[in-house]
Amino acid sequence: ILYIFFLLSANLMLSQQKQYPFQNPDLDTEKRIDNLLSLMTLDEKVQALSTNPSVKRLGLTGTSHVEGLHGLALGGPGEWGGKNKQPLTTTTFPQAYGLGETWDVEILQKAAQVEGYETRYALQKYNRGGLVVRAPNADIARDPRWGRTEESYGEDAFFNGTMTVAFIKGLQGNHPKYWQTASLMKHFLANSNEDGRTYTSSDFDERLWREYYALPFQMGVVEGGSRAYMAAYNKVNRIPAMVHPMLKNITQKEWGQNGIICTDGGAFKLLLSDHKYYADQYLGAAAAIKAGINQFLDEFTEGVYGALSNGYLKEKDLDEVLRGNYRVMIKLGMLDNASDNPYSKIGKEKDTIDPWKTEAHKKIALEATQKSIVLLKNETGLLPFQKEKIKTIAVIGLRADEVLLDWYSGTPPYVITPLQGIKNKLGNNVEILYAKNNIDGKAVQIAKKADAVIVIVGNHPVCNAGWANCPVPSEGKEAVDRQSLTLEQEDLIKVVYQANPKTVAVLISSFPYAINWTQENVPAIVHMTQNSQETGTALADVLFGDYNPAGRLTQTWVKDITDLPELLDYNVRNGRTYMYAKKKPLYAFGHGLSYTTFKYNSVETNSETIAKNGEIKATVSITNTGTKDGDEVIQLYVKQLESKVERPQKELKAFKRVFFKAGETKKVDLVVKAKDLEYWNTARQTFELEKNTIEIQIGSASDAILLTKKITTR
């Protein structure tokens, strides 16, 4: 009798859990959503336009957003875990700009997988955060003055798109039915000025829209599988991005984006206050929803109710956009039984160790940081330092004994500063002298005593100041563009170098600087970005030869601010990026050195021609001719020789980071796809492959082309 009672009770509970068709995981997704919308009241539909489309009455628990540009953020300077709430520590990687400088899709995907796992864990173990991750930033850093350069992978659309795809795949996972987390790309579209971002217009022609600004987002949707993005604050060709026809006409109808399209924070109010685009909020709310917006990041209910009561919106308009929210919720398994979703088990085991405490996650953070380091100069072979030949070393600089977090950082479980990393590396065998600056002459004093000097300088990612305030002209962040490319701390490098010419300059920065004097005088220069919990360990590994650096720049570092067009000039053909630059840069796109040397022997292609929808494989023979093992980043550019339309000077179309043992020769395959050689034919409104002669250029940087081969398109 007891057994029968238990069985009846279990069946009753199961029937209550599965009382609606939308709860049936075997039913077609669209039919599930049909049923759900039919059961929801108008009030519930309005509330579901928030970042958490839960419907408590129906037992539907949705999920909200978290930040995650370079690790899950549930803490940090932005207090993302909640104001005045104890932060939850999470694995913290280099800034996105630094992740880009790895030129390594595999490590990027691993880092994103770690972040996605920790996002699930934080929600399911500690009830913190959500499963829609606002990352990656697919915007293009077309100008180094942009305050949010740190959030972007670089200046090249194809490169950014490739890295965006890798990050999305890492976040979302490879399960055939469910996502680990949902990747929400930022900020659509052409959002790369901070000053005036809430009212300025990013203006450019249709070809640049298709070939440049939109390409990383298109790749993110079509190749990466992202089904969520955030509309930008700015106007695009005089229309506010969040009400632009491009949201529906292109991203949905052409690319197949059928999930979340959200506003940026506070953007709904800006339609009236800054853009002054509508007479009232009711018209604004109606326009946003009809454009495809289905999640608002500020107060919207009054506007939506007003639009409904005035007849600007109908309930079916809400139904149409809400479908996207619930498609994402279904992919995350929010409407299904947890036992069917393997990701729902994360963090549920009784003896689970927090993942950010595991050696596996620490190892990936270290590897990503090592791979992000760029050796800009090593003229006299000063690096790597030989520990056995150094008795005293001086470590100097404002950034030497800190790891700075940016606005979108979480709180790392630990940090290793450069000074600590150097101490850990050298132990008690070497005397380490330290000075933060030269105010009292200490920096010069210890530099003179030392066998070698390491000067560590760079920006402060949140400017050590309040919101929208950067007292130092060369610094920038969200809401503040940079007013200068001059490194104010370069004077410290000068006085230290004068005291001891065996000086290495380490620039830890979120963006490029015009360090012309340092490049001309200091024998060795290293660049890396802020934020990684393993900053000091990775840097020490590189400085003392335990890791051979192979990072590459993802942006053109100009010599002077006057080499740049006006910040609001979005026509990149006017001298922006390596594709259109008119002046020789300080450091070229793709630049980065190694402690070993590589010889590019030959390049062969598997065909002399490439046709529509086809591809061509270039096989490059390369030898590590040096004495050290190391990575090489092989870069393939194309130059269109007989195009009838304006084309860039050259364009990156394939790249690969490959490890070589000393003396080893490898053949590396790089694939060029025909679709990546096309241009947008505005008259025919389609991408078109011209009949053309194309020069394939293979090298170690955009200005270091070592092999060429001609092919034709047909």
Side-chain angles (χ1 to χ4, degrees):
I1 293 172
L2 191 62
Y3 172 76
I4 294 170
F5 175 75
F6 173 78
L7 200 62
L8 288 171
S9 299
N11 286 334
L12 180 62
M13 287 174 64
L14 193 64
S15 66
Q16 286 174 341
Q17 289 172 351
K18 300 286 185 184
Q19 60 182 313
Y20 303 117
F22 77 79
Q23 296 168 317
N24 181 0
D26 298 323
L27 198 62
D28 173 75
T29 294
E30 298 308 309
K31 289 181 179 176
R32 295 177 76 181
I33 297 171
D34 286 340
N35 173 249
L36 173 59
L37 292 172
S38 73
L39 296 169
M40 291 172 65
T41 67
L42 181 61
D43 287 339
E44 287 169 338
K45 290 175 181 179
V46 172
Q47 292 302 320
L49 293 166
S50 69
T51 55
N52 188 335
S54 296
V55 188
K56 291 183 180 179
R57 180 180 61 86
L58 299 175
L60 191 162
T61 302
T63 187
S64 58
H65 297 195
V66 290
E67 298 291 348
L69 289 177
H70 43 77
L72 171 62
L74 290 175
E79 295 185 85
W80 296 109
K83 301 292 180 186
N84 304 314
K85 203 170 183 179
Q86 181 69 26
L88 194 64
T89 63
T90 50
T91 303
T92 305
F93 297 94
Q95 292 172 301
Y97 194 70
L99 290 174
E101 288 182 336
T102 66
W103 286 65
D104 189 325
V105 292
E106 290 182 10
I107 193 62
L108 202 70
Q109 190 164 334
K110 284 182 184 177
Q113 195 280 329
V114 163
E115 180 181 319
Y117 184 94
E118 292 187 4
T119 302
R120 273 276 176 183
Y121 184 95
L123 181 67
Q124 294 173 179
K125 173 87 172 183
Y126 294 114
N127 195 28
R128 300 287 295 275
L131 297 180
V132 179
V133 183
R134 295 177 191 161
N137 186 330
D139 288 313
I140 304 175
R142 67 188 172 91
D143 192 303
R145 291 170 293 188
W146 179 34
R148 298 179 82 168
T149 295
E150 66 193 30
E151 298 180 31
S152 170
Y153 295 127
E155 73 182 19
D156 182 84
F158 172 81
F159 178 84
N160 282 25
T162 303
M163 302 304 259
T164 290
V165 168
F167 204 85
I168 291 165
K169 287 183 174 180
L171 283 176
Q172 297 193 166
N174 57 9
H175 191 272
K177 183 174 182 179
Y178 294 109
W179 287 339
Q180 179 173 243
T181 61
S183 168
L184 186 148
M185 297 182 289
K186 303 195 291 189
H187 308 82
F188 193 75
L189 185 74
N191 178 91
S192 56
N193 64 278
E194 295 305 294
D195 297 346
R197 65 180 178 163
T198 59
Y199 58 85
T200 55
S201 182
S202 304
D203 299 338
F204 42 87
D205 63 33
E206 194 175 328
R207 279 192 62 201
L208 284 176
W209 197 102
R210 293 282 188 167
E211 298 170 22
Y212 187 67
Y213 289 109
L215 181 62
F217 291 90
Q218 180 180 1
M219 292 173 70
V221 172
V222 177
E223 298 175 32
S226 169
R227 290 296 181 268
Y229 69 80
M230 177 183 288
Y233 283 125
N234 51 280
K235 294 184 183 78
V236 174
N237 293 334
R238 306 297 165 182
I239 302 172
M242 66 172 281
V243 294
H244 203 290
M246 64 185 178
L247 307 187
K248 188 172 284 187
N249 294 345
I250 298 176
T251 75
Q252 292 184 333
K253 293 179 181 178
E254 292 187 25
W255 301 350
Q257 209 289 358
N258 64 354
I260 293 170
I261 304 178
C262 72
T263 71
D264 205 334
F268 175 51
K269 290 183 177 67
L270 295 172
L271 281 176
L272 275 67
S273 64
D274 288 39
H275 288 297
K276 304 186 189 312
Y277 208 72
Y278 297 102
D280 58 50
Q281 62 175 322
Y282 313 137
L283 290 167
I289 288 169
K290 287 182 177 179
I293 296 292
N294 53 21
Q295 290 194 353
F296 291 85
L297 268 68
D298 56 335
E299 171 50 43
F300 64 92
T301 54
E302 184 181 342
V304 173
Y305 279 122
L308 288 164
S309 63
N310 279 289
Y312 305 149
L313 280 178
K314 293 184 170 59
E315 188 171 351
K316 68 177 184 179
D317 295 318
L318 304 191
D319 289 350
E320 183 183 336
V321 294
L322 286 174
R323 302 188 76 87
N325 290 346
Y326 292 115
R327 289 187 190 108
V328 172
M329 295 302 115
I330 287 170
K331 286 295 291 181
L332 290 169
M334 304 307 294
L335 277 66
D336 296 356
N337 193 310
S339 62
D340 298 330
N341 179 0
Y343 298 122
S344 68
K345 299 175 178 63
I346 295 172
K348 295 296 179 71
E349 294 85 357
K350 289 181 181 178
D351 299 323
T352 303
I353 180 174
D354 291 342
W356 41 87
K357 295 177 181 176
T358 64
E359 291 305 312
H361 285 200
K362 292 176 186 177
K363 183 181 177 183
I364 293 171
L366 176 59
E367 184 184 355
T369 313
Q370 291 169 327
K371 288 189 169 185
S372 75
I373 296 176
V374 184
L375 181 62
L376 294 175
K377 182 182 179 184
N378 194 26
E379 197 172 69
T380 60
L382 180 59
L383 289 177
F385 290 127
Q386 297 179 49
K387 287 179 278 189
E388 62 276 9
K389 292 186 177 181
I390 295 176
K391 294 180 179 178
T392 305
I393 197 162
V395 181
I396 297 167
L398 204 58
R399 305 292 173 238
D401 198 24
E402 57 189 7
V403 173
L404 296 173
L405 305 179
D406 65 34
W407 185 250
Y408 287 100
S409 174
T411 298
Y414 62 89
V415 293
I416 299 169
T417 72
L419 180 61
Q420 187 60 52
I422 292 165
K423 286 179 177 178
N424 294 346
K425 180 69 65 178
L426 298 178
N428 298 320
N429 300 324
V430 178
E431 183 183 13
I432 300 170
L433 307 173
Y434 166 64
K436 190 172 184 179
N437 51 48
N438 195 45
I439 291 173
D440 55 1
K442 187 179 178 184
V444 167
Q445 182 185 359
I446 67 171
K448 287 179 179 177
K449 289 182 181 177
D451 298 318
V453 184
I454 304 166
V455 187
I456 303 173
V457 294
N459 70 298
H460 195 297
V462 293
C463 302
N464 202 20
W467 180 255
N469 183 27
C470 279
V472 179
S474 72
E475 294 188 344
K477 60 181 179 182
E478 180 169 4
V480 185
D481 286 318
R482 304 168 71 200
Q483 300 303 308
S484 169
L485 302 183
T486 302
L487 178 66
E488 291 83 1
Q489 298 156 55
E490 196 167 35
D491 281 346
L492 178 63
I493 300 174
K494 290 177 182 178
V495 297
V496 168
Y497 172 78
Q498 189 177 38
N500 188 338
K502 289 186 177 180
T503 292
V504 174
V506 177
L507 176 61
I508 303 181
S509 70
S510 310
F511 25 60
Y513 278 94
I515 48 171
N516 297 290
W517 186 93
T518 302
Q519 170 59 26
E520 288 169 14
N521 294 279
V522 176
I525 309 169
V526 169
H527 176 256
M528 66 189 302
T529 62
Q530 282 109 345
N531 211 87
S532 170
Q533 63 194 42
E534 290 284 357
T535 295
T537 305
L539 178 60
D541 286 345
V542 166
L543 293 177
F544 294 93
D546 292 325
Y547 187 86
N548 190 349
R552 297 291 193 271
L553 298 182
T554 63
Q555 210 173 7
T556 302
W557 288 39
V558 297
K559 290 183 177 180
D560 194 270
I561 199 167
T562 59
D563 295 345
L564 298 167
E566 287 295 317
L567 182 60
L568 286 175
D569 181 359
Y570 273 78
N571 183 355
V572 293
R573 300 189 195 96
N574 292 335
R576 267 192 217 289
T577 79
Y578 76 95
M579 296 187 294
Y580 297 102
K582 296 172 183 175
K583 296 187 178 180
K584 185 177 174 62
L586 178 63
Y587 304 116
F589 176 86
H591 172 73
L593 306 176
S594 171
Y595 293 150
T596 190
T597 53
F598 294 92
K599 183 186 177 189
Y600 283 60
N601 305 310
S602 62
V603 58
E604 299 295 332
T605 56
N606 63 341
S607 175
E608 300 294 321
T609 61
I610 186 170
K612 181 84 174 177
N613 299 322
E615 61 183 38
I616 200 163
K617 181 171 69 176
T619 301
V620 189
S621 170
I622 299 174
T623 304
N624 180 348
T625 52
T627 58
K628 292 182 172 64
D629 299 348
D631 292 353
E632 174 69 344
V633 178
I634 303 100
Q635 302 167 38
L636 185 155
Y637 297 85
V638 299
K639 182 177 178 64
Q640 309 259 359
L641 299 178
E642 299 168 357
S643 179
K644 294 177 182 177
V645 297
E646 185 177 5
R647 295 293 189 108
Q649 296 166 134
K650 64 180 63 180
E651 297 175 89
L652 181 74
K653 293 302 173 189
F655 62 91
K656 192 174 288 186
R657 182 168 178 152
V658 181
F659 174 77
F660 291 80
K661 291 182 179 178
E664 183 179 18
T665 297
K666 282 185 177 180
K667 289 188 175 181
V668 178
D669 292 335
L670 298 171
V671 176
V672 179
K673 296 178 180 177
K675 72 177 182 63
D676 296 327
L677 303 175
E678 296 175 341
Y679 81 100
W680 180 256
N681 186 321
T682 53
R684 294 180 57 201
Q685 288 291 290
T686 186
F687 277 103
E688 187 172 287
L689 184 69
E690 286 184 287
K691 289 184 178 180
N692 198 358
T693 301
I694 292 176
E695 182 177 76
I696 290 177
Q697 304 178 349
I698 308 287
S700 58
S702 62
D703 67 342
I705 302 304
L706 303 167
L707 299 168
T708 60
K709 174 94 175 173
K710 288 181 182 176
I711 62 169
T712 57
T713 53
R714 56 183 171 85

